[in-house]
Amino acid sequence: MEPDNVKILSLKYEIEKNLGLHDQAYESLKALQNIDTLSTKTRERLAESHFFHGRFSEAKLLLEQIDKTALSARSRLALAASMWELGEKDEAQEIVDQISLN
């Protein structure tokens, strides 16, 4: 992995996201994930982008691969929302209940 490539793709993603270029930002995140496969932050961002694009199964799968204690509240909520959209309403409600307790 080239650290400079990670920095450039991260910056490219941030610029595209801030400009509202969601499709381009999504592609940048997928490229970033290919070279920075272990980054929790990248995985969370990509899962959020999957959710934005209606790819709930992909978002759920990606978030479930991350240690639950490492997930941000926002990512746990994205996981719950993805599960809800996939018809897993009881499991989604459990996650939302856990978030509300913290």
Side-chain angles (χ1 to χ4, degrees):
M1 171 178 63
E2 296 290 328
D4 289 339
N5 290 346
V6 170
K7 289 177 189 176
I8 290 168
L9 279 172
S10 293
L11 181 59
K12 184 176 185 284
Y13 158 76
E14 289 293 336
I15 291 168
E16 291 164 341
K17 182 180 175 194
N18 288 328
L19 291 174
L21 304 171
H22 300 289
D23 291 337
Q24 292 90 330
Y26 182 58
E27 293 303 319
S28 293
L29 275 176
K30 289 193 295 186
L32 183 58
Q33 174 66 25
N34 286 335
I35 61 172
D36 191 18
T37 58
L38 300 177
S39 169
T40 297
K41 184 177 181 179
T42 299
R43 286 179 179 186
E44 286 182 318
R45 286 176 169 176
L46 183 55
E48 190 174 305
S49 193
H50 282 321
F51 185 84
F52 177 84
H53 286 89
R55 295 180 176 101
F56 307 117
S57 294
E58 289 92 336
K60 178 185 173 226
L61 180 64
L62 196 56
L63 290 169
E64 287 179 332
Q65 294 172 356
I66 301 171
D67 177 15
K68 299 295 181 261
T69 61
L71 283 176
S72 67
R74 181 178 173 129
S75 291
R76 286 183 286 155
L77 190 55
L79 175 59
S82 295
M83 293 171 92
W84 185 273
E85 292 293 334
L86 293 168
E88 301 172 26
K89 297 184 190 290
D90 291 337
E91 296 90 341
Q93 185 63 51
E94 287 179 28
I95 294 170
V96 171
D97 291 344
Q98 290 171 356
I99 294 169
S100 67
L101 293 175
N102 293 333

